[in-house]
Amino acid sequence: MITNLESIKFTRDYWLILLPLICAAADIVTGWIQATVNNTWDSTKMRKGLYRKGGELLAVLLTWVICIALVLPMDVTTFVAAYIVIMEVVSVIENLDQ
């Protein structure tokens, strides 16, 4: 168990963008699999999900740029990226559960 949030660090700055992107892609793939298995394709739901994914990735990118531009610590971006990764992992687990 992590007792200190300061111990969460990405090894390189590009992982702040890449890891949430990979997790979002995994969520999309497992969502497609789940929809195929359950025969519940819904284009509206898929479109809203893709918009949400785009917004999440934009939030990470914007906080990254703001931290660089204002010379703020990358901890803010790390928190946003970690939060999104956790959300996506939970979503993947939900997709695999159904």
Side-chain angles (χ1 to χ4, degrees):
M1 185 172 122
I2 298 174
T3 58
N4 188 354
L5 288 178
E6 292 176 4
S7 65
I8 299 174
K9 297 288 182 194
F10 288 88
T11 55
R12 298 276 190 254
D13 283 347
Y14 61 82
W15 280 110
L16 289 168
I17 306 296
L18 193 57
L19 188 58
L21 183 65
I22 291 168
C23 290
D27 184 33
I28 290 168
V29 169
T30 57
W32 283 341
I33 292 169
Q34 181 225 17
T36 301
V37 168
N38 295 334
N39 199 21
T40 57
W41 284 91
D42 184 0
S43 63
T44 302
K45 191 182 244 187
M46 289 171 41
R47 185 174 51 253
K48 286 181 181 180
L50 288 175
Y51 290 154
R52 185 177 62 87
K53 303 272 182 262
E56 291 170 355
L57 297 174
L58 184 61
V60 174
L61 184 61
L62 284 175
T63 55
W64 183 61
V65 169
I66 289 169
C67 285
I68 290 171
L70 299 178
V71 193
L72 298 173
M74 280 294 164
D75 294 342
V76 176
T77 308
T78 299
F79 175 78
V80 172
Y83 177 75
I84 290 171
V85 166
I86 291 168
M87 282 189 345
E88 295 298 343
V89 168
V90 169
S91 184
V92 165
I93 293 168
E94 289 173 349
N95 287 339
L96 295 174
D97 184 43
Q98 296 178 359

